[in-house]
Amino acid sequence: MEVSGSRKSKRVGFEEENILAIINASGAKDTQDANDDRLAFLEAVRAVSIVSQNGTPPTHKMFQEVFKILRTGKALESIMASYQLLDELDKSFPRVYLADLQKSLSDSNVTPELVVLNEAWSPFDLTMEFSSYQREGGKDQGGPIDSYGFHLLIQDLVDVTDEMNIQKSNTMSLRNLLLFQYLVNILEGDFVPRNSAYEGTMNWTLLRESLLNMLLGSRKVNYKSLMKDCLTIMCQLYQISAEFSDDKIHPENSAEKSAENSDNAVTIALLEVGKNICFAMQKFLTMIMELDTSKKKADTEGYTTRTDGIRTPMVELILDELTYNKDIFHPFLQVFNEPRWKLEVVVQYFWKYMGKPSVRTRRSNGSVDDTTFSGALKCFSDITSTRSAIKKIGTEVIQLLLVHGFQAYLSLPSKHLDESTSAASGSSCSHIEICENIISAFRSLSATDKRMEITSFGKEALFTAATIISMKS
């Protein structure tokens, strides 16, 4: 039996009223009873929208109350529960998706259609004139996030991830980390299907209207400063997770341990969430680089306009930061492990200081740029070019670039191997050739700089290269 539109609307309104009544009674109180009410409210929303066989998306008011708990909650349990519920809801009720995606995978004649639910609730409001952080004397009221509010969130995370402040952090620090992770998930859910649809249609409007593009293009955001802070956060979190030991979490004195038990729980949660934030930050930066690539294609085809503005590509900003902030050079290469873009950063770092190597082709009387990893390795084909590289970059940095570039190359999916190792002429470079070039580069470095010691990372790369050659020869 079907339920008429008016009856269904009344039923939804009745459910909303009953569920919101659970949390309205607690208000802004910071008591155990109030926190229990918030947890009961979250469970009620989950029961109606996730557990129920005919689950429906929460209403805007219900969504907003769940989001408010994440943004303003003070109890660790309710903060974590609200984040988990929001994550479940986004997976169950996506705002942007590709229809007929499964059919398109099995039938090449079927083109997936992009579906955008503009009426769906979103944690972002990028049309706001005033930031939610600015209203009410700067107090966070739990409303939607605008571009300036996102920038302020990033600035707060820089302080949170400072190694000296990690033990002084509280639930506010934890909820800001979770808030960022949730917002990146939202940006990804909006951007990925749009970018896939764009690649098939070359309709730049699909990406122009993406949350990511609107966020980065906002006049309320200092883009370069924002990206610099993002790199700092990712590298600091990596160093914290790598260096933070149990004895720093648990004090030896039993009285201190008892007094700080609550703080320790937050600290441990922060460290665990911090590992996930490193991955979320990498996703955020990778999406920006994908957007830069798509925009470059649109520029080439003449699909962009003046209103799209000009933004420095993310890879260039990373290169500048790696150049002038040596403290993040090694941490960045360690933590950023997306192979395609990591290899791109490594290769362009070489080009930045050494110039793009050129090769002659049978089809051309002149020379063309070999802008690949294979081409970058040719910088170490003789003593003269190697000496120039050492003078401009230094042997330690060169070793790190070679090792991480080689690791990224070996991790590349097969569909990206050709474009990362093929010269402009169209000829491809095999695994064995890359391995041979890596070994040759280290030999050339050793022959040029007699005082150079090969690092443990370098020895591992050489061993791997030699193993691959022996197995395939």
Side-chain angles (χ1 to χ4, degrees), residues 3-17:
V3 180
S4 65
S6 60
R7 290 178 60 189
K8 184 176 180 180
S9 177
K10 289 181 179 179
R11 187 189 67 187
V12 172
F14 181 71
E15 289 178 344
E16 177 190 42
E17 184 178 349

Side-chain angles (χ1 to χ4, degrees), residues 84-282:
Q84 291 169 356
L85 177 57
L86 287 169
D87 188 51
E88 289 180 66
L89 290 171
D90 289 321
K91 292 176 180 177
S92 300
F93 310 105
R95 299 167 181 82
V96 180
Y97 60 92
L98 292 172
D100 298 324
L101 182 59
Q102 294 300 323
K103 291 183 180 179
S104 67
L105 295 175
S106 57
D107 186 354
S108 59
N109 294 323
V110 177
T111 302
E113 178 185 358
L114 184 71
V115 178
V116 180
L117 304 178
N118 292 315
E119 73 281 1
W121 179 87
S122 172
F124 283 103
D125 188 347
L126 302 179
T127 63
M128 290 192 295
E129 295 184 3
F130 300 100
S131 171
S132 58
Y133 275 76
Q134 292 176 311
R135 292 195 292 270
E136 301 293 337
K139 185 178 180 181
D140 186 356
Q141 299 299 305
I145 297 283
D146 73 339
S147 54
Y148 182 65
F150 184 84
H151 198 166
L152 289 181
L153 173 64
I154 295 297
Q155 290 177 342
D156 288 341
L157 293 185
V158 173
D159 295 331
V160 171
T161 56
D162 183 82
E163 189 173 5
M164 299 300 294
N165 292 336
I166 191 68
Q167 291 193 79
K168 300 177 182 178
S169 300
N170 50 28
T171 52
M172 179 179 177
S173 302
L174 176 63
R175 73 189 185 211
N176 281 344
L177 287 168
L178 288 170
L179 174 60
F180 172 75
Q181 187 173 346
Y182 171 63
L183 294 178
V184 169
N185 290 341
I186 294 297
L187 292 172
E188 181 185 34
D190 177 78
F191 174 76
V192 171
R194 286 177 181 273
N195 199 40
S196 296
Y198 165 76
E199 291 175 353
T201 63
M202 287 301 291
N203 181 1
W204 170 244
T205 302
L206 299 178
L207 287 178
R208 178 188 287 131
E209 296 176 353
S210 68
L211 291 174
L212 181 64
N213 189 61
M214 291 191 289
L215 175 67
L216 300 178
S218 173
R219 295 181 180 180
K220 293 184 284 186
V221 169
N222 185 327
Y223 172 66
K224 290 186 177 181
S225 175
L226 177 67
M227 293 302 101
K228 181 177 179 180
D229 287 342
C230 287
L231 290 171
T232 298
I233 292 167
M234 186 171 66
C235 293
Q236 285 183 343
L237 280 174
Y238 165 75
Q239 291 175 309
I240 290 171
S241 62
E243 299 174 4
F244 217 91
S245 56
D246 288 338
D247 61 322
K248 292 182 180 180
I249 299 176
H250 302 291
E252 294 181 2
N253 184 284
S254 59
E256 288 180 318
K257 185 181 295 187
S258 176
E260 298 182 2
N261 190 44
S262 177
D263 292 337
N264 288 338
V266 175
T267 301
I268 294 171
L270 278 166
L271 293 172
E272 187 62 32
V273 171
K275 296 177 183 178
N276 295 329
I277 297 301
C278 284
F279 180 68
M281 189 62 76
Q282 177 174 280

Side-chain angles (χ1 to χ4, degrees), residues 326-342:
K326 296 299 182 182
D327 290 338
I328 74 166
F329 188 90
H330 190 210
F332 174 81
L333 291 176
Q334 286 287 100
V335 69
F336 191 80
N337 56 20
E338 203 291 321
R340 178 190 172 192
W341 290 108
K342 184 174 184 176

Side-chain angles (χ1 to χ4, degrees), residues 341-356:
W341 290 108
K342 184 174 184 176
L343 189 60
E344 181 72 12
V345 169
V346 168
V347 173
Q348 287 204 27
Y349 194 99
F350 280 126
W351 295 342
K352 183 179 177 69
Y353 290 98
M354 303 173 64
K356 297 179 181 179

Side-chain angles (χ1 to χ4, degrees), residues 241-425:
S241 62
E243 299 174 4
F244 217 91
S245 56
D246 288 338
D247 61 322
K248 292 182 180 180
I249 299 176
H250 302 291
E252 294 181 2
N253 184 284
S254 59
E256 288 180 318
K257 185 181 295 187
S258 176
E260 298 182 2
N261 190 44
S262 177
D263 292 337
N264 288 338
V266 175
T267 301
I268 294 171
L270 278 166
L271 293 172
E272 187 62 32
V273 171
K275 296 177 183 178
N276 295 329
I277 297 301
C278 284
F279 180 68
M281 189 62 76
Q282 177 174 280
K283 282 201 302 185
F284 181 54
L285 299 179
T286 299
M287 281 190 290
I288 296 173
M289 289 186 271
E290 295 284 358
L291 177 61
D292 290 340
T293 299
S294 296
K295 186 177 182 181
K296 184 177 180 180
K297 291 179 183 178
D299 285 335
T300 302
E301 298 295 330
Y303 296 135
T304 59
T305 65
R306 290 184 179 180
T307 58
D308 289 306
I310 299 175
R311 188 176 67 249
T312 305
M314 185 69 231
V315 173
E316 291 184 22
L317 293 181
I318 291 175
L319 292 175
D320 288 342
E321 193 62 17
L322 294 181
T323 300
Y324 299 110
N325 186 355
K326 296 299 182 182
D327 290 338
I328 74 166
F329 188 90
H330 190 210
F332 174 81
L333 291 176
Q334 286 287 100
V335 69
F336 191 80
N337 56 20
E338 203 291 321
R340 178 190 172 192
W341 290 108
K342 184 174 184 176
L343 189 60
E344 181 72 12
V345 169
V346 168
V347 173
Q348 287 204 27
Y349 194 99
F350 280 126
W351 295 342
K352 183 179 177 69
Y353 290 98
M354 303 173 64
K356 297 179 181 179
S358 297
V359 295
R360 290 185 178 276
T361 69
R362 294 179 181 178
R363 299 179 183 178
S364 172
N365 293 326
S367 61
V368 295
D369 289 334
D370 182 2
T371 56
T372 63
F373 185 47
S374 175
L377 292 177
K378 290 182 174 66
C379 296
F380 306 95
S381 58
D382 56 66
I383 297 296
T384 301
S385 59
T386 302
R387 183 180 294 113
S388 175
I390 292 174
K391 183 178 180 181
K392 294 177 180 178
I393 304 178
T395 53
E396 183 179 352
V397 171
I398 291 174
Q399 285 195 64
L400 284 172
L401 292 171
L402 289 174
V403 169
H404 286 281
F406 186 48
Q407 289 176 345
Y409 164 76
L410 294 178
S411 301
L412 273 176
S414 57
K415 66 178 181 179
H416 291 308
L417 275 177
D418 287 340
E419 63 187 67
S420 298
T421 59
S422 298
S425 61

